[in-house]
Amino acid sequence: MSFPLLTATAVVPAVGAIVVAAVPAGRRSAAKVLALAFSLITLALAAVVFLRFEPGGDRYQLTESHAWIAEFGVRYELGVDGIGVALIALTALLIPFIVLAGWNDADPQETGNSRWRPTQGFFALILMVEAMVILSFEATDVFLFYILFEAMLIPMYFLIGGFGDRAHAGSDQKAAAQRSYAAVKFLLYNLVGGLVMLAAVIGLYVVAGSFSLTEIAEARASGQLEMATNTERLLFLGFFFAFAIKAPLWPLHTWLPNAMGEATTPVAVLITAVVDKVGTFAMLRFCLQLFPEASKWATPVILVLALISIVYGALLAVGQRDIKRLIAYASISHFGFIVLGIFAMTSQGQSGATLYMVNHGLSTAALMLVAGFLITRRGSRLIADYGGVQKVAPVLAGTFLIGGLATLSLPGLAPFVSEFLVLVGTFARYPVAGIIATSGIVLAALYTLVLYQRTMTGPVKAEVKTMPDLKPRELAVVLPLIALLIFLGVFPKPLTEIVNPAVEHTMSDVQQKDPRPEVEAAK
Amino acid sequence: MNPVNYLYLAALLFTIGAAGVLIRRNAIVVFMCIELMLNACNLTLVAFSRMHGNLDGQIIAFFVMVVAAAEVVVGLAIIVSLFRSRHSASVDDASLMKL
Amino acid sequence: MENLIALLIAAPLLGAVVLLCGGRRLDRTGHWLGTALAGASFLIGVVLFAGMLGESADERTLHQRLFSWIPVEGFQADIAFQLDQLSMTFVLLITGVGTLIHIYSIGYMEHDERRRRFFGYLNLFLSAMLLLVLADNYLLLYFGWEGVGLASYLLIGFWQHKPSAATAAKKAFLVNRVGDIGLSIAIMLMFTTFGTFAFGPVLGSVGETGEGTLTAIGLMLLLAACGKSAQVPLQSWLGDAMEGPTPVSALIHAATMVTAGVYLIVRSGAIFNAAPDAQLVVVVVGAVTLLFGAVVGCAKDDIKKALAGSTMSQIGYMILAAGLGPIGYVFAIMHLVTHGFFKAGLFLGAGSVMHGMNDEVDMRKYGGLRKHMPITFVTFGLGYLAIIGFPGLSGFFSKDKIIESAFAKGGAEGWILGAVTLLGAAITAFYMTRVMLMTFFGEKRWQPDAEGHEPHPHESPRSMTIPMIVLAFGSVFAGGFFGIGDRFLNWLEPVTGYDHGHAPISAATVTTATVVVLLIGVGVAWLMYGRRPVPVLAPRGSLLTRAARRDLYQDDINHAVLVRGGEHLTRSLVYVDHTLVDGVVNGTAASVGGLSGRLRKMQNGYARSYAVSMFGGTAVLIAATLLMRAV
């Protein structure tokens, strides 16, 4: 038996979480270094997965399969396709930056209680989330996936509720109340989705007699497993509801601005750049593959919801006064693009959506982390409290601008590639939807540039005057992200190469072909 | 003798016990009434065992006795410690478990 | 040879990267590096040009393919370049004028502590602009298109501490983004129609699709061109863009970037030729803008804004010519090149004036500067003569050709367009004479500023005057060089095609008419501004003047409709999201909470009440069981 590489990518951070949690109270910096080390080992393993994966090979590679709960046919089944590999790479890549960016965010504020170990807890929870997210990208057993999908709520709940943003306008008590409100809202929202999904998972088992994604998909494709139309639709809705909350899609989005606003910036990045991707990933992997007919049936409604998300999220971002909430609404707009690309059912749309997941992760991380550095310096999240930062901290302003330009999908930066693919893919099948979505590029420019103008330009505000520029640790977070954004914007081939075959498989699952160009079709 | 009479007796004992639990406030008396109800059940079990001619009921009765004995130990300990802290054995005084 | 194409772009790009990432240690030498790399790019362009001249007219197109940019099933975008006569013309203009403006900026930005960054942005602009004109497909062109937009954003807002500059930069970017919607949709339409968006295949298979699709593509390309080239209705950003440093106005907002729309339309000529409806719209947009810009230019007292109105108007000429089809493509580009010379020269002259006048931009506070700044006066004067189309100078040859082409369109359309272009020429003569008279003639009108410093007008340093002199040469001779013997026509015709059209009147008549309206425009301006002194405070003016000062109320309409409307929309949406969407969620949570609050009351803590409910419940259960059995 070969080395269980996929399991290792999840076990390493999980072990890391335990080790970090066990570090004694007085050794805070040891905990940080250990967390960074474990996240880097995970990154190395993910890199091995990325390199070992053969784009032209089987659909699922590096598979592992062990009996788990034999009575219900639940198996511990892992395997990755190109989409999974891309997202594992993204997750493993972002966690070290998140750890590095949150280096001092969880230090105890008062040193009275010697047994109080928030730092250890913070980093252990982050590593725990990483382990679960990575494993959920690998799981090909529906039940296993469901368990991970739900279990990651627990560490996320504590990360949001337990470690708030210190830059809060109100009193400590008010901050704590809002934080706990945000954490509970996050938890309840996702639990409701999870419950509905659980019902659908059980329903799927009753209908199909198996939890194995590959088995069910094969049986469906070969016609051995027929599903009544209504059953399929109900099951699809059960799954989709949970994923639409996680993604989040309008009108199930309202937990995100609260959660991102109240959490520390690294955790906010963790939510939007990593954890939410599980939702869109699962739409692509489970909804389309298990319920192709129902997916096609629901497409018109989902496209409309996605379009609303795009425009609505962007408009709300324009109206925000809080930097972090602005970025949260921008993310809602971007998730609209991802869902649009997935359900446009074209190769370009789905490749674009997959790239979008990766690129959005990178661009939001860059923008949000720099915003976090800015907020930590000034101690406020309100846009109106800033002004003229560019003059005192030009590097910070420059990196913030690049993050913003990535968010508005400037060509040359990675998000452009994915956004354009999504737009083209949508336009090819649904021209009107494509045109409406295109209007999002103006709104994206509006909220990004307004944010930049109000915070970075103009006369220097008195409170901002002594603001230091980025420190080496912060540069170490931002510069690699920017380098990646530029690299993938000019040369996205390494990603498209592994994503393309997976998308072709998905396209054949839903029995869809790309619309042919008018000129060719006429011949 | 007709074993059904034992059932009547058991029902009577059980009712007395239940009434005692509901009406009395003294924890010790409530406790004794619970014991009474348990033993009424035991009596029913044994009576049925006799009527049906197998030993299942009697075996269960033994289990009940063992559990009841254990319960007495724990229950009395709780009552004693309650009395120590409050100088009262009224069950209505111990109403702090509500939110 | 073709391997040099990438170097054209790479040289300034390298400069941008080094200057922007290099940090403070490059502060003292950075501008030399930037200028040298711009010059290097120009030299490579000249080498390529020489090589191109050596080939026969049909074999002058070079291709270079670097690598596959976005390879996705059924969708291929390459990083690949195409250098033909059209691109070559632009390459020489961009790198040539670009290098001159780099040199000029060394002097102009001497006292700015962020000069290194300024040169980095200029280099970034050059490489993006070169990418735009060298791309061999529309998506890569879009890359360059947005790249120049970014550079323009950064440079307009270069003095970020001024809120007006930051706002102007944002406005320019946003308005351009509206145009970008057009370019995006055009590319998507090409993809769904032709399955590709590379120039060759798309323009080569135009005949295989219907006119409706082509008209749609054409209109979308026009929308893009309107954004980038500041044509009505997306023209409002150009005036504000004058907040940027003057070299930027000269390079980006006069000579090169704003002409990208013309390039796009000429490049896509095959599409427009097959879509007459789209062409008609192009011509209308060009004609309207040409008058709009000219009218605005007449009323502005800010020298740069007057010149910006003029730029708008001149690009209107080019767009109009491009809309005429093969009759006008060549002349649109020819006017574009000559305009690049004289307008850049005029802007540099304006910058030189401002340099000597403590950055004063109000022409009413100039006057009589010809004695203080002789070189600026002469070079600006030559640019002035060129732009109004004084016979023998550059503008004369190119503008006259456009007017001729407009008439040659034939029919009523030809007459109307001819009349509009002639009217435009008259107004151009008027407002440029006004600028000239107010700035260099008359009495001195400047006063001490608030702190009591009186400006001491002086000639600018040599690094600034030399580029002005070179550009003045271009303004004088380029037109004649191109026009006489149809040199430019022969050079560009293989790419754009050419058609004589059917001129209803002879070329000599048109030329005469042009000169007559020119003299009328100059004469009227002299009567108003030359013969009597110019008041320092602007008079109230006629209704038209006041409207033109406010850009014909276009900004006010934008503000009322888009800005205000948008603010209300976003504010109400924020409210809706908070109360309605989130309200439903919170409402559900609250009702569950309320229900459990009621239920909680049943838990009173009395053990005996629990016992009652237990006994009661058991009794009910047993009764129910018995009843069920009885039934």
Side-chain angles (χ1 to χ4, degrees):
Chain A
M1 210 183 116
S2 61
F3 179 70
L5 191 58
L6 292 186
T7 305
T9 54
V11 165
V12 169
V15 170
I18 296 166
V19 172
V20 170
V23 173
R27 313 286 300 274
R28 272 208 313 277
S29 39
K32 295 173 184 176
V33 172
L34 273 174
L36 187 62
F38 274 100
S39 65
L40 286 174
I41 299 173
T42 316
L43 177 58
L45 284 172
V48 175
V49 171
F50 193 92
L51 295 175
R52 287 269 296 276
F53 185 84
E54 291 162 21
D58 293 339
R59 177 165 191 180
Y60 293 106
Q61 299 182 21
L62 306 166
T63 51
E64 295 169 30
S65 181
H66 305 282
W68 184 21
I69 312 176
E71 288 80 357
F72 300 113
V74 176
R75 297 182 66 81
Y76 176 78
E77 248 183 21
L78 302 183
V80 283
D81 59 359
I83 302 170
V85 170
L87 288 172
I88 292 169
L90 169 74
T91 310
L93 187 77
L94 283 182
I95 299 292
F97 294 123
I98 290 174
V99 168
L100 209 52
W103 206 246
N104 300 325
D105 281 3
D107 287 349
Q109 272 158 312
E110 65 282 324
T111 43
N113 190 341
S114 61
R115 294 173 64 189
W116 181 232
R117 298 185 300 162
T119 316
Q120 283 84 337
F122 183 72
F123 291 108
L125 287 171
I126 289 179
L127 287 174
M128 208 64 225
V129 173
E130 179 182 22
M132 289 176 183
V133 170
I134 288 185
L135 205 58
S136 70
F137 288 139
E138 294 166 348
T140 52
D141 184 283
V142 179
F143 193 78
L144 178 62
F145 175 81
Y146 168 75
I147 289 187
L148 293 163
F149 188 78
E150 289 290 80
M152 69 181 80
L153 298 181
I154 302 166
M156 283 313 299
Y157 170 78
F158 287 112
L159 279 174
I160 299 170
F163 303 91
D165 195 331
R166 283 175 197 166
H168 200 282
S171 64
D172 278 0
Q173 265 180 337
K174 200 176 152 206
Q178 288 193 2
R179 198 158 65 228
S180 107
Y181 170 75
V184 170
K185 197 169 181 178
F186 163 82
L187 189 70
L188 285 183
Y189 245 114
N190 283 283
L191 272 183
V192 169
L195 269 182
V196 178
M197 183 184 165
L198 177 63
V201 168
I202 295 170
L204 179 69
Y205 180 68
V206 172
V207 177
S210 163
F211 281 121
S212 165
L213 175 72
T214 43
E215 266 177 42
I216 301 175
E218 240 170 61
R220 295 228 56 182
S222 64
Q224 285 171 337
L225 174 61
E226 297 280 341
M227 274 191 208
T229 316
N230 279 333
T231 320
E232 189 185 337
R233 288 177 184 176
L234 282 175
L235 292 179
F236 168 82
L237 288 179
F239 276 83
F240 185 78
F241 183 69
F243 303 152
I245 286 182
K246 189 79 106 192
L249 195 64
W250 188 89
L252 305 171
H253 63 277
T254 55
W255 63 268
L256 186 70
N258 283 326
M260 278 178 77
E262 298 305 324
T264 57
T265 16
V267 174
V269 173
L270 192 66
I271 297 172
T272 180
V274 176
V275 173
D276 285 354
K277 296 297 177 321
V278 179
T280 43
F281 164 80
M283 285 181 199
L284 202 49
R285 175 172 276 186
F286 294 99
C287 285
L288 294 193
Q289 210 170 325
L290 293 174
F291 317 107
E293 292 305 318
S295 302
K296 278 186 268 183
W297 162 76
T299 296
V301 178
I302 295 174
L303 288 183
V304 170
L305 290 183
L307 286 177
I308 295 179
S309 287
I310 293 173
V311 177
Y312 184 92
L315 281 174
L316 273 161
V318 176
Q320 293 304 313
R321 283 177 298 182
D322 175 324
I323 299 176
K324 286 166 81 181
R325 287 179 70 93
L326 188 149
I327 301 174
Y329 277 106
S331 284
I332 291 169
S333 178
H334 289 138
F335 278 110
F337 275 105
I338 299 177
V339 175
L340 190 71
I342 293 175
F343 282 89
M345 310 266 183
T346 52
S347 310
Q348 299 90 40
Q350 294 189 343
S351 301
T354 310
L355 293 188
Y356 212 123
M357 292 186 223
V358 176
N359 296 338
H360 172 255
L362 296 174
S363 67
T364 315
L367 182 64
M368 193 73 174
L369 291 176
V370 180
F373 300 149
L374 181 72
I375 291 168
T376 317
R377 281 167 167 67
R378 167 75 176 79
S380 166
R381 287 168 10 208
L382 292 181
I383 296 171
D385 285 348
Y386 295 87
V389 175
Q390 198 276 335
K391 193 100 178 162
V392 282
V395 179
L396 194 156
T399 49
F400 191 70
L401 181 63
I402 296 177
L405 293 173
T407 306
L408 64 79
S409 299
L410 192 85
L413 298 170
F416 169 73
V417 175
S418 40
E419 188 163 304
F420 199 79
L421 282 173
V422 166
L423 289 175
V424 160
T426 311
F427 187 84
R429 208 182 283 281
Y430 307 99
V432 177
I435 291 172
I436 297 175
T438 309
S439 73
I441 67 171
V442 177
L443 294 174
L446 184 60
Y447 60 70
T448 313
L449 295 184
V450 168
L451 174 64
Y452 182 79
Q453 187 192 352
R454 297 213 177 128
T455 51
M456 299 298 172
T457 69
V460 184
K461 283 233 165 129
E463 298 90 342
V464 172
K465 262 191 185 122
T466 52
M467 190 177 273
D469 213 332
L470 290 185
K471 293 193 262 296
R473 169 178 67 87
E474 294 165 330
L475 278 176
V477 173
V478 179
L479 292 184
L481 285 175
I482 288 176
L484 261 175
L485 281 171
I486 294 174
F487 176 75
L488 289 178
V490 181
F491 193 64
K493 202 173 164 196
L495 267 185
T496 54
E497 223 172 41
I498 61 163
V499 167
N500 283 345
V503 166
E504 273 172 54
H505 280 298
T506 318
M507 286 291 287
S508 70
D509 284 334
V510 286
Q511 291 148 6
Q512 291 276 20
K513 285 214 171 67
D514 288 329
R516 288 172 66 206
E518 194 190 300
V519 173
E520 261 179 53
K523 275 177 191 164
Chain B
M1 203 163 92
N2 187 356
V4 175
N5 290 335
Y6 289 102
L7 294 182
Y8 290 137
L9 176 62
L12 190 67
L13 288 174
F14 189 87
T15 314
I16 293 170
V21 168
L22 293 182
I23 293 164
R24 299 301 298 268
R25 278 188 201 152
N26 190 317
I28 301 284
V29 179
V30 171
F31 202 66
M32 281 159 62
C33 290
I34 290 174
E35 291 304 310
L36 196 57
M37 284 158 72
L38 280 172
N39 284 316
C41 294
N42 277 348
L43 191 56
T44 331
L45 286 168
V46 174
F48 277 124
S49 161
R50 176 83 183 173
M51 280 159 76
H52 296 298
N54 64 17
L55 291 176
D56 289 2
Q58 299 188 28
I59 292 170
I60 298 176
F62 276 115
F63 275 109
V64 173
M65 277 185 228
V66 173
V67 172
E71 187 211 324
V72 168
V73 174
V74 179
L76 277 179
I78 292 173
I79 291 169
V80 168
S81 61
L82 256 183
F83 187 78
R84 269 195 198 149
S85 65
R86 287 165 197 260
H87 306 290
S88 141
S90 165
V91 285
D92 284 3
D93 284 353
S95 64
L96 295 174
M97 282 291 277
K98 66 175 179 184
L99 197 66
Chain C
M1 199 68 168
E2 55 266 17
N3 293 336
L4 286 176
I5 302 178
L7 273 183
L8 272 175
I9 302 171
L13 186 64
L14 175 75
V17 172
V18 170
L19 289 176
L20 292 179
C21 304
R24 299 237 161 80
R25 75 202 88 132
L26 286 173
D27 273 355
R28 294 182 57 190
T29 52
H31 46 281
W32 293 113
L33 178 71
T35 312
L37 285 167
S41 193
F42 177 64
L43 286 181
I44 299 169
V46 170
V47 169
L48 281 166
F49 179 60
M52 195 178 262
L53 285 180
E55 303 285 334
S56 71
D58 297 333
E59 290 164 10
R60 282 176 173 169
T61 308
L62 295 177
H63 288 277
Q64 183 186 12
R65 186 176 174 283
L66 285 188
F67 55 86
S68 177
W69 181 19
I70 312 179
V72 168
E73 183 67 22
F75 181 99
Q76 290 297 330
D78 290 343
I79 303 267
F81 307 118
Q82 171 185 328
L83 182 69
D84 58 9
Q85 290 92 321
L86 182 59
S87 324
M88 195 70 237
T89 313
F90 271 90
V91 166
L92 291 177
L93 175 73
I94 295 162
T95 53
V97 175
T99 309
L100 287 176
I101 286 175
H102 272 76
I103 296 170
Y104 179 89
S105 305
I106 295 175
Y108 191 83
M109 299 298 283
E110 199 176 355
H111 304 296
D112 197 300
E113 51 174 352
R114 293 160 73 230
R115 178 164 67 167
R116 167 181 60 87
R117 191 170 311 190
F118 182 80
F119 277 83
Y121 293 159
L122 277 187
N123 272 206
L124 178 68
F125 168 76
L126 280 190
S127 62
M129 190 70 205
L130 288 168
L131 180 64
L132 194 164
V133 297
L134 287 171
D136 94 326
N137 62 66
Y138 281 97
L139 197 65
L140 194 59
L141 180 146
Y142 188 29
F143 189 165
W145 191 264
E146 290 273 306
V148 293
L150 170 67
S152 156
Y153 169 79
L154 292 169
L155 285 165
I156 296 172
F158 186 73
W159 288 317
Q160 298 193 338
H161 53 273
K162 283 182 9 197
S164 56
T167 308
K170 181 188 69 184
K171 182 175 177 184
F173 198 96
L174 283 177
V175 176
N176 269 295
R177 272 256 148 167
V178 176
D180 293 345
I181 291 185
L183 191 50
S184 296
I185 294 177
I187 296 175
M188 291 191 256
L189 268 169
M190 286 174 201
F191 178 71
T192 52
T193 311
F194 305 107
T196 172
F197 33 75
F199 289 152
V202 168
L203 301 176
S205 47
V206 160
E208 292 169 37
T209 184
E211 200 188 308
T213 316
L214 292 174
T215 307
I217 297 178
L219 289 178
M220 286 298 123
L221 289 174
L222 174 65
L223 178 63
C226 283
K228 198 57 84 192
S229 295
Q231 299 293 294
V232 174
L234 299 179
Q235 84 293 7
S236 64
W237 63 272
L238 188 62
D240 294 353
M242 298 300 130
E243 287 288 343
T246 309
V248 173
S249 311
L251 177 60
I252 301 186
H253 305 118
T256 56
M257 185 192 84
V258 283
T259 57
V262 183
Y263 170 79
L264 184 68
I265 291 176
V266 173
R267 175 58 83 196
S268 317
I271 294 173
F272 284 95
N273 292 345
D277 292 344
Q279 267 185 328
L280 180 65
V281 182
V282 174
V283 170
V284 171
V285 165
V288 170
T289 314
L290 128 72
L291 293 179
F292 184 103
V295 170
V296 169
C298 293
K300 293 286 184 188
D301 289 333
D302 178 329
I303 186 168
K304 285 179 74 183
K305 292 205 168 161
L307 288 177
S310 152
T311 303
M312 220 183 272
S313 166
Q314 297 302 313
I315 297 171
Y317 270 106
M318 299 170 209
I319 295 275
L320 185 145
L324 295 172
I327 314 173
Y329 290 142
V330 173
F331 304 122
I333 300 297
M334 187 163 130
H335 192 53
L336 192 156
V337 176
T338 56
H339 174 257
F341 285 119
F342 57 68
K343 187 51 70 60
L346 287 170
F347 264 112
L348 294 191
S352 172
V353 169
M354 286 160 58
H355 196 72
M357 294 290 291
N358 290 352
D359 287 331
E360 178 60 62
V361 290
D362 189 350
M363 291 190 288
R364 293 187 183 276
K365 295 182 182 153
Y366 292 165
L369 287 176
R370 65 180 187 284
K371 289 168 242 158
H372 302 277
M373 306 181 174
I375 301 177
T376 307
F377 167 62
V378 172
T379 53
F380 195 92
L382 290 172
Y384 155 73
L385 290 176
I387 192 174
I388 63 172
F390 193 80
L393 276 75
S394 284
F396 170 74
F397 288 96
S398 51
K399 195 188 286 179
D400 188 52
K401 281 288 183 192
I402 291 180
I403 299 174
E404 272 176 40
S405 312
F407 279 112
K409 180 74 180 170
E413 204 186 325
W415 282 105
I416 296 171
L417 293 176
V420 168
T421 48
L422 276 178
L423 179 61
I427 308 179
T428 308
F430 171 79
Y431 67 72
M432 282 312 298
T433 312
R434 174 175 175 269
V435 169
M436 198 66 196
L437 290 174
M438 283 172 86
T439 307
F440 291 103
F441 292 88
E443 292 304 308
K444 83 163 192 140
R445 293 186 298 275
W446 61 85
Q447 293 147 346
D449 61 12
E451 289 146 33
H453 299 299
E454 185 161 351
H456 296 287
H458 55 86
E459 191 53 86
S460 299
R462 210 174 300 158
S463 65
M464 287 166 69
T465 49
I466 289 173
M468 285 154 59
I469 294 167
V470 175
L471 286 171
F473 262 96
S475 313
V476 174
F477 299 112
F481 179 76
F482 293 155
I484 296 168
D486 287 340
R487 269 206 197 90
F488 201 75
L489 180 61
N490 296 335
W491 159 253
L492 216 51
E493 198 207 330
V495 183
T496 58
Y498 181 62
D499 180 5
H500 285 286
H502 2 259
I505 44 178
S506 72
T509 322
V510 174
T511 310
T512 318
T514 315
V515 175
V516 170
V517 296
L518 158 74
L519 292 175
I520 295 173
V522 173
V524 172
W526 187 78
L527 285 178
M528 287 173 69
Y529 297 97
R531 216 177 43 160
R532 50 178 192 237
V534 180
V536 177
L537 284 177
R540 198 169 129 80
S542 66
L543 195 64
L544 180 66
T545 316
R546 273 179 281 150
R549 269 189 206 136
R550 304 209 56 151
D551 299 321
L552 300 180
Y553 299 120
Q554 219 256 332
D555 270 344
D556 301 81
I557 296 168
N558 279 354
H559 191 79
V561 179
L562 294 175
V563 180
R564 287 283 187 74
E567 271 172 13
H568 283 296
L569 179 67
T570 53
R571 236 179 262 155
S572 45
L573 271 181
V574 170
Y575 180 75
V576 165
D577 195 57
H578 191 70
T579 49
L580 208 70
V581 184
D582 210 17
V584 172
V585 176
N586 284 338
T588 318
S591 54
V592 172
L595 188 66
S596 45
R598 301 264 156 72
L599 286 174
R600 204 183 66 185
K601 297 239 167 78
M602 292 173 68
Q603 305 283 313
N604 54 14
Y606 293 108
R608 293 187 304 146
S609 90
Y610 298 156
V612 171
S613 51
M614 209 173 91
F615 282 121
T618 320
V620 170
L621 274 182
I622 292 172
T625 323
L626 290 177
L627 268 178
M628 292 297 282
R629 197 175 283 175
V631 174

